Amino acid sequence: MSENPSATAAPQETVRRRRRHGGLTLRDVAKLAGVAPITASRALNTPDAVSPEILARVRDAVERTGYVPNILAGGLASRQTRLVAAVVPTISSPVFPEMIEALTNALAAAGYQLMLGQSGYADSREDELLEAIIGRRADGVVLTGVSRSPLARRRLIASGIPVVETWDYTPTPIDMLVGFSHTKLGSAVAAYLHGRGRRRVAVIGAGDERARQRTNAFIQTAQALKMAGPGGQVPTFHVPAPTTVGLGRSGLRALLAEHPDIDAVFCSSDMLAMGVLHEAQAQGIAIPDRLGVIGMGDQGFSRDVHPALTTVRIDGNVIGETAAHFILERIAGRQVADPVRDIGFTIVERATI
Amino acid sequence: MSENPSATAAPQETVRRRRRHGGLTLRDVAKLAGVAPITASRALNTPDAVSPEILARVRDAVERTGYVPNILAGGLASRQTRLVAAVVPTISSPVFPEMIEALTNALAAAGYQLMLGQSGYADSREDELLEAIIGRRADGVVLTGVSRSPLARRRLIASGIPVVETWDYTPTPIDMLVGFSHTKLGSAVAAYLHGRGRRRVAVIGAGDERARQRTNAFIQTAQALKMAGPGGQVPTFHVPAPTTVGLGRSGLRALLAEHPDIDAVFCSSDMLAMGVLHEAQAQGIAIPDRLGVIGMGDQGFSRDVHPALTTVRIDGNVIGETAAHFILERIAGRQVADPVRDIGFTIVERATI
DNA sequence: ATGAAAGCGCTAACAC
DNA sequence: GTGTTAGCGCTTTCAT
């Protein structure tokens, strides 16, 4: 180890350009094992293609040196990075982890790594992220929502990378899609509240695009079902994304101050609904008798709070698994059957309405 | 575009090996701009080093073609990937996002991308993740906690990649560290409860290593301060990580069933504390009068729940920013002053005790 | 089953 | 300021 390990014959006539940085390479491992670099490569990537004896020698050499293959070099040569990227608005929200987890696991099982990016809700960094993703030649991309900049669309299509859009629905995605309709969801919630006998509904809704779709559809259906207030207005409190318990509390306070007669609130997230629950408790408002509450997301805590939160469940697991499946199929060169999937949603009836 | 673009003179004596995949390369852009590839490279990476006219021509060519540089190739040649990896147990926990967010932003501002990995709490996938990270030649790594496998330690040290361990403390990290002592924290909480007049304390503690440190220290100090129950035992309810509201509820139920005389509970996370709050409400137990509750983490919801949760705040922002700073300094070749940092914690006094 | 040569797309090193 | 050349570390292609 202390001797000069790279004492190879250097050309006499000219100085050596660019020195290898001292890092361990496949060449070193191969030399140690007494084989050609390509053979060492085969031993690592396609063990069945080499003789057992050589395999053992190479593995031993790897073990002894602590060699870790350079995936950059491998990816450059093979045009395969074994990297799939996912972009979500934020990981702070309890909404996405379920999908991410499923994605991570399904991908890991196939030998792929997930690279996670946060685009933010407001000043979206999606375009930059996409540039980094394409630049790293990811083998697949999973995106949240279906609206992107024209530049992003163009780049994505030009790159030829398999793309799965999620968490929303359009019949014409960039490539593939697993999601659900926020419009249908909003309408379904309004109809559900009506079915439960509520007649004066209100909304606390986040400002992100998908929440707005849910909210708008809810309001329209509520109006059609005569659940609006005077003047056909459905009292609405707008909050910025990402949503918090605090915003839910302020929302209920504001709503109640101006419209004391409301008998149910639709919250565009369970976090907001949780805030409503706590504000109601602080004000001594009986739930669900005096006020019904329905959230959206069915977060981990929703079933466990008191009273247990009625909400709308989206199966993040299915989204993640399906997205992984789609991408893996594409990578394998197979045709994906039914690549635009609406997985729907379920209203989970519990104790708050 | 429709003509054969690669009609260069191929050697006559032998067939051409390996075809370029059709992808747009810097060479294409350079050709379009009428310059050498290296000049195009300079225009993109060090714009000041080329004349304004050439800069404009290259940018125009990039614009027109939609060229996205291959970071794999660039990284291979320059030994700089502009990639920093972070490994957390899970992103589902509300604990880490604050750090991740700060890390992401500080890194992005310097032109670096964060690659996020989840190791899981139980059967840790950390070693595999680390292999992928080292294999991709990340320019830096941010890790959670200070205990890793011997293999991981060896690989990390051998790789020469700057490493920051976080969210825990040891005077002898692998490389650098920003964190705090869970032992000190547990003791401080016990002392705090004592100061607030509580004399029969209990614990709901998660099974991950750091939570266990907090819990154990809490118990020891509680015993020293005579806040234990009969036989010097501090009633303890163990829950698996990650923690949930439901586990907090079960915890309080179990604790109360066996030890109805406890007057305060230390929860190893705010999620658990939230569960305690809801269980107490369901059982009609007055908080803080009959039972004091203190959590840990000061999550977003903690200040907003009712009653507002007393908890221990860890500044995830500072951890993230400091970790980014450490790594960027190292990358810049500068010496990091004071590379082992204990950022401490703060007990945030609110309404639950 | 193993190896030699070429080249993936880019930048460092060296001219001019 | 711009170009030539070599080579980063690996895998593909072709040959044996």
Side-chain angles (χ1 to χ4, degrees):
Chain A
M1 282 303 231
S2 54
E3 299 168 280
N4 182 357
S6 52
T8 47
Q12 291 296 341
E13 13 99 36
T14 175
V15 275
R16 234 244 252 75
R17 323 284 206 84
R18 211 96 149 248
R19 78 284 97 160
R20 46 186 47 247
H21 202 67
L24 209 56
T25 73
L26 186 60
R27 219 170 63 175
D28 303 321
V29 172
K31 207 169 290 175
L32 224 172
V35 295
I38 181 62
T39 304
S41 170
R42 287 190 184 110
L44 296 177
N45 299 318
T46 52
D48 295 334
V50 300
S51 69
E53 195 223 316
I54 284 195
L55 179 57
R57 260 160 48 203
V58 171
R59 286 204 169 144
D60 179 62
V62 168
E63 190 70 24
R64 280 163 50 200
T65 54
Y67 170 69
V68 179
N70 185 327
I71 304 184
L72 263 56
L76 182 59
S78 69
R79 309 174 155 294
Q80 272 228 56
T81 53
R82 302 210 145 252
L83 220 210
V84 171
V87 179
V88 295
T90 169
I91 60 161
S92 305
S93 157
V95 178
F96 304 107
E98 194 180 1
M99 166 179 81
I100 305 283
E101 194 110 24
L103 205 49
T104 304
N105 293 340
L107 254 19
Y112 283 75
Q113 245 232 305
L114 183 73
M115 174 169 153
L116 192 57
Q118 298 188 77
S119 59
Y121 275 110
D123 165 38
S124 176
R125 302 202 322 114
E126 193 179 80
D127 283 12
E128 308 166 42
L129 274 174
L130 250 18
E131 177 159 10
I133 289 165
I134 297 171
R136 286 204 161 66
R137 300 300 187 262
D139 289 338
V141 192
V142 178
L143 266 18
T144 314
V146 296
S147 78
R148 17 210 53 90
S149 76
L151 176 66
R153 275 192 92 91
R154 246 185 294 126
R155 275 186 178 157
L156 244 14
I157 293 170
S159 73
I161 300 176
V163 178
V164 184
E165 289 169 288
T166 64
W167 222 260
D168 199 346
Y169 187 84
T170 169
T172 54
I174 292 182
D175 184 2
M176 301 176 283
L177 178 145
V178 211
F180 61 96
S181 161
H182 294 262
T183 305
K184 281 190 209 164
L185 191 153
S187 292
V189 170
Y192 172 77
L193 294 187
H194 189 266
R196 303 288 296 168
R198 305 290 166 162
R199 290 299 179 267
R200 263 301 168 277
V201 300
V203 188
I204 302 177
D208 73 85
E209 200 180 321
R210 289 178 295 282
R212 211 147 30 201
Q213 282 180 47
R214 300 195 283 276
T215 304
N216 291 342
F218 174 84
I219 291 174
Q220 282 187 19
T221 304
Q223 287 169 334
L225 293 173
K226 311 285 183 216
M227 299 192 298
Q233 292 303 304
V234 173
T236 304
F237 187 81
H238 295 283
V239 303
T243 57
T244 68
V245 171
L247 290 170
R249 289 191 72 167
S250 326
L252 182 61
R253 226 175 297 132
L255 246 22
L256 248 24
E258 285 212 42
H259 313 275
D261 59 329
I262 56 173
D263 63 5
V265 191
F266 170 38
C267 301
S268 79
S269 83
D270 279 5
M271 268 295 176
L272 292 173
M274 174 95 113
V276 166
L277 256 35
H278 280 265
E279 180 63 21
Q281 204 217 318
Q283 292 195 23
I285 294 170
I287 287 180
D289 297 344
R290 160 80 178 75
L291 186 76
V293 182
I294 181 167
M296 137 87 203
D298 193 22
Q299 288 345 281
F301 56 77
S302 305
R303 66 179 315 143
D304 292 323
V305 295
H306 177 81
L309 184 65
T310 294
T311 184
V312 185
R313 168 149 184 79
I314 310 303
D315 197 330
N317 260 306
V318 168
I319 296 185
E321 277 165 13
T322 309
H325 174 73
F326 279 2
I327 285 177
L328 259 13
E329 285 294 294
R330 261 299 173 64
I331 292 174
R334 282 191 287 268
Q335 190 72 28
V336 172
D338 195 6
V340 182
R341 222 103 111 185
D342 182 347
I343 64 155
F345 50 85
T346 324
I347 293 181
V348 184
E349 201 167 315
R350 291 202 273 245
T352 57
I353 184 150
Chain B
M1 279 306 232
S2 53
E3 301 167 280
N4 182 354
S6 51
T8 46
Q12 290 298 341
E13 13 100 38
T14 175
V15 275
R16 232 243 251 78
R17 323 286 205 84
R18 209 101 149 247
R19 78 285 96 163
R20 47 187 44 245
H21 201 65
L24 209 57
T25 72
L26 188 60
R27 219 170 61 175
D28 303 321
V29 172
K31 208 170 291 175
L32 224 173
V35 297
I38 183 65
T39 305
S41 171
R42 287 189 185 114
L44 296 177
N45 298 318
T46 50
D48 295 334
V50 299
S51 69
E53 195 222 313
I54 285 196
L55 178 57
R57 261 159 49 200
V58 172
R59 287 202 169 144
D60 179 62
V62 168
E63 189 71 22
R64 280 162 50 198
T65 53
Y67 169 70
V68 179
N70 185 328
I71 305 184
L72 264 57
L76 183 58
S78 69
R79 309 173 156 292
Q80 271 229 57
T81 54
R82 302 212 144 249
L83 221 210
V84 171
V87 180
V88 294
T90 170
I91 60 160
S92 304
S93 156
V95 178
F96 303 108
E98 193 180 2
M99 166 179 79
I100 305 285
E101 194 109 24
L103 207 48
T104 304
N105 293 340
L107 254 19
Y112 283 74
Q113 247 232 302
L114 184 73
M115 174 167 154
L116 192 58
Q118 297 188 79
S119 60
Y121 274 112
D123 165 37
S124 177
R125 302 201 321 113
E126 193 179 81
D127 283 12
E128 308 166 42
L129 273 175
L130 249 19
E131 177 158 10
I133 289 165
I134 297 171
R136 282 182 211 289
R137 301 299 189 260
D139 289 337
V141 193
V142 178
L143 265 21
T144 314
V146 296
S147 78
R148 16 212 52 92
S149 77
L151 176 65
R153 275 191 91 92
R154 246 184 297 126
R155 276 187 178 156
L156 245 13
I157 292 170
S159 73
I161 300 176
V163 178
V164 184
E165 288 171 289
T166 63
W167 222 259
D168 200 347
Y169 187 84
T170 168
T172 54
I174 293 181
D175 184 3
M176 301 176 282
L177 178 145
V178 211
F180 60 95
S181 161
H182 294 262
T183 305
K184 279 191 211 165
L185 192 154
S187 292
V189 169
Y192 172 77
L193 294 187
H194 190 266
R196 302 287 297 168
R198 306 291 166 162
R199 289 298 178 271
R200 262 298 168 279
V201 299
V203 188
I204 303 177
D208 73 86
E209 200 180 320
R210 288 178 296 282
R212 212 148 28 204
Q213 282 180 45
R214 299 195 284 275
T215 305
N216 290 343
F218 174 85
I219 292 174
Q220 282 187 18
T221 304
Q223 288 169 334
L225 294 173
K226 311 284 182 216
M227 299 192 297
Q233 293 303 303
V234 173
T236 304
F237 188 81
H238 295 283
V239 303
T243 57
T244 68
V245 171
L247 290 170
R249 288 191 71 168
S250 327
L252 183 60
R253 226 175 297 132
L255 245 22
L256 248 22
E258 286 213 41
H259 312 275
D261 59 329
I262 56 173
D263 64 3
V265 191
F266 170 39
C267 301
S268 79
S269 82
D270 280 5
M271 268 295 176
L272 292 172
M274 173 96 113
V276 166
L277 256 34
H278 281 265
E279 181 63 21
Q281 204 218 320
Q283 293 196 23
I285 294 170
I287 287 179
D289 297 344
R290 158 85 177 70
L291 186 75
V293 182
I294 182 166
M296 137 87 203
D298 193 21
Q299 289 345 294
F301 56 77
S302 306
R303 65 180 314 144
D304 291 322
V305 295
H306 178 82
L309 184 65
T310 294
T311 185
V312 185
R313 168 149 185 79
I314 310 303
D315 197 330
N317 260 305
V318 168
I319 296 185
E321 277 165 14
T322 309
H325 174 73
F326 279 2
I327 285 177
L328 292 173
E329 285 293 295
R330 260 301 171 65
I331 291 175
R334 282 191 286 267
Q335 189 72 28
V336 172
D338 195 6
V340 182
R341 223 104 110 185
D342 182 347
I343 64 153
F345 51 85
T346 324
I347 293 182
V348 183
E349 201 167 317
R350 290 202 272 247
T352 57
I353 185 152

